[in-house]
Every structure is written in C-alpha cells, then in structure tokens.
Amino acid sequence: MPPDSTTAMRALIARIRHELPLDDPAARVCHGACAGGCAPKLLAFIEQQLDDWEWRLSAGARPGFAELSALARSARRVHAVLVRDGLLSAPTEPLHD
C-alpha cells in the first residue's frame, strides 16, 4: 500500500534536501556561467518551497498528488540546471513523482 500524501511529501522533501546542495556555500555564489538559470536563485527558490511545505505539513495540511508532482518537477528542474552548470554530477536515479 502506498504511503499517505503527508508521508510521501515528507519523504520527498527529505530526498530533495539530501540531493541538492542547499548547505553548500559554493553553490550559493554566482559564478557567472549560468547555463539554464541562476544557481543561487534557484536554490533559494526550492529551499523556500521546502520550508513552506514543512510549515504547512506541521500545520496539518494534506498535500494532493498535484502538489507532490509540482514539488518533484521543480526539484528536477533545479537539479538539471545545477548539473548543466557543473555544480552537481548527473543523477544515478532521478527524482520521481
């Protein structure tokens, strides 16, 4: 049986926090070579989304499939830009919805 949506969202948030360099100061510095977007701005954007969802979950919100998919899609796009910019290596296993 699949997990409930709250458990799935918490697992997705944990995986995103683990796989993206949110705590890496080097990723937060503009290197001037943005292949598909500004890495510091994209990391700030996804971190804000994660913080927002953690707050909403703690307040009792129950995400739907659309919210899970949207967060996973955003994380995949940020990851792809970080790979293109050379800040991350290509994933061995992509984030799934």
Side-chain angles (χ1 to χ4, degrees):
M1 186 160 128
D4 65 275
S5 63
T6 300
T7 303
M9 181 61 88
R10 289 186 196 281
L12 178 61
I13 289 169
R15 182 156 182 206
I16 293 168
R17 286 196 182 279
H18 174 66
E19 292 188 12
L20 294 181
L22 298 173
D23 295 328
D24 183 4
R28 298 292 184 142
V29 176
C30 182
H31 299 284
C34 300
C38 176
K41 288 180 183 177
L42 289 171
L43 286 171
F45 167 75
I46 198 74
E47 189 168 31
Q48 179 59 46
Q49 283 192 323
L50 297 176
D51 291 344
D52 180 55
W53 267 111
E54 287 173 331
W55 181 86
R56 290 169 68 184
L57 291 172
S58 69
R62 295 190 50 89
F65 182 74
E67 288 89 3
L68 285 160
S69 294
L71 183 59
R73 188 173 38 255
S74 292
R76 281 193 306 271
R77 288 177 178 163
V78 170
H79 190 275
V81 169
L82 297 176
V83 168
R84 272 184 268 154
D85 287 349
L87 295 170
L88 288 176
S89 59
T92 55
E93 181 181 333
L95 287 169
H96 297 286
D97 290 344

